[in-house]
Amino acid sequence: MRTVHEVSKLAGVSIRTLQYYDKIGLLHPTGYTDAGYRLYDDADLERLQHILLFRELEFPLKDIREMMNSPDFDRSKALEQQIELLTLKKEHLDNLINFALGIKMLGVNYMDFSAFDKSKIDAYAKQAKELYGNTPEYKEFAEKSKNRTDEEDKLLADRFMLFFKEAGEMRNTDPASPEAQDLVKRIQNFITEHMYTCSDKILSGLGKMYSGGGDFTRNIDEAGGEGTAAFVDKAIQIYCG
């Protein structure tokens, strides 16, 4: 059994947060000391791990409580899903939404995603919708894309890839140059206009995704030449400060 102070240090959450979780019925301690301090056992810590992972995935506390208090909640299955998402992105969980939206933004039907078959992409899209369907970015993306045809999506993807072809022509120049920074601004504006509001934070995450290896990097480099993805990422990070 661990005290609330020990759990606070172990999990990196404040005592006030643990007290609040108890108050709203999200995480009750197993017992109390004679002095009235909360005590947590291993099962409580396992539940806290799931709570913190869901919070990193930006789930509201109310939704987490409803899911975890449901008799159908499967902790093992939930953990497997979380691990799968972490493996896909291999970066901070805050970039997971960027990953899901990035697949759509780069054009699934246009890009050569040879490492993923279509059924797997559909599964990830469905999972992303289930996980992130309540986020403002996803709702905005769904609203803007709901009436587009496959042909329109392909045309949009073609237009978007022109940015990377243009970046390829300047990939051996300074990413802080006015031309490179103007390109980044136009990329951000394009995403905001056609996909979802692309804040500097989201744009920074996309830049890291572009140069992070795998299909995104390969397809961008095929469009603009080797090193284009890395150049765009550097220009984006400078732009975002």
Side-chain angles (χ1 to χ4, degrees):
M1 300 284 282
R2 291 180 172 84
T3 67
V4 67
H5 294 274
E6 291 171 334
V7 173
S8 174
K9 289 184 178 180
L10 180 65
V13 296
S14 68
I15 293 175
R16 179 173 295 182
T17 295
L18 293 172
Q19 293 171 339
Y20 182 68
Y21 287 173
D22 183 11
K23 180 180 179 181
I24 65 174
L26 183 58
L27 178 65
H28 294 304
T30 296
Y32 295 86
T33 66
D34 294 337
Y37 292 104
R38 294 170 174 80
L39 292 173
Y40 298 85
D41 62 12
D42 289 343
D44 297 328
L45 293 179
E46 180 185 351
R47 183 179 175 90
L48 178 58
Q49 287 176 334
H50 283 291
I51 292 170
L52 295 179
L53 281 173
F54 280 129
R55 287 297 289 157
E56 286 292 333
L57 291 166
E58 300 186 2
F59 279 73
L61 289 175
K62 179 181 178 181
D63 291 351
I64 298 174
R65 181 182 62 196
E66 291 177 356
M67 286 188 299
M68 297 192 67
N69 289 344
S70 169
D72 298 325
F73 180 72
D74 187 329
R75 294 187 178 186
S76 297
K77 184 177 180 180
L79 184 59
E80 288 175 0
Q81 292 173 338
Q82 292 160 348
I83 292 173
E84 182 180 1
L85 290 172
L86 286 169
T87 302
L88 284 172
K89 189 62 186 75
K90 295 183 179 179
E91 288 188 2
H92 193 276
L93 291 175
D94 287 343
N95 291 330
L96 282 173
I97 292 178
N98 298 340
F99 175 80
L101 294 176
I103 292 177
K104 289 284 188 179
M105 184 189 67
L106 290 178
V108 172
N109 295 324
Y110 172 77
M111 304 293 287
D112 176 20
F113 279 71
S114 56
F116 302 96
D117 60 35
K118 187 66 170 61
S119 62
K120 204 166 188 179
I121 291 176
D122 290 341
Y124 290 149
K126 180 180 179 182
Q127 187 178 49
K129 182 177 181 180
E130 292 173 350
L131 288 176
Y132 310 122
N134 290 323
T135 65
E137 292 85 359
Y138 200 100
K139 288 181 178 179
E140 184 179 0
F141 173 79
E143 180 64 26
K144 289 183 176 180
S145 62
K146 66 180 181 181
N147 294 322
R148 285 204 295 260
T149 65
D150 289 344
E151 184 178 350
E152 289 172 333
D153 277 335
K154 182 181 182 302
L155 179 61
L156 197 65
D158 289 343
R159 290 176 56 193
F160 188 70
M161 290 309 295
L162 291 176
F163 291 118
F164 297 109
K165 291 182 179 179
E166 183 178 347
E169 296 175 357
M170 62 178 74
R171 68 185 187 277
N172 294 320
T173 65
D174 183 2
S177 70
E179 293 79 12
Q181 292 301 292
D182 176 70
L183 176 63
V184 172
K185 180 61 177 177
R186 286 187 281 125
I187 290 174
Q188 185 180 42
N189 290 342
F190 185 90
I191 296 171
T192 296
E193 180 181 356
H194 299 287
M195 308 297 171
Y196 54 92
T197 301
C198 185
S199 65
D200 286 356
K201 179 180 179 182
I202 290 178
L203 183 64
S204 176
L206 288 172
K208 294 175 183 177
M209 181 183 68
Y210 295 159
S211 65
D215 295 287
F216 289 109
T217 302
R218 181 168 60 253
N219 283 289
I220 291 172
D221 282 355
E222 285 180 358
E226 185 176 356
T228 300
F231 173 81
V232 172
D233 181 25
K234 290 178 182 178
I236 286 176
Q237 303 312 323
I238 293 171
Y239 177 87
C240 295

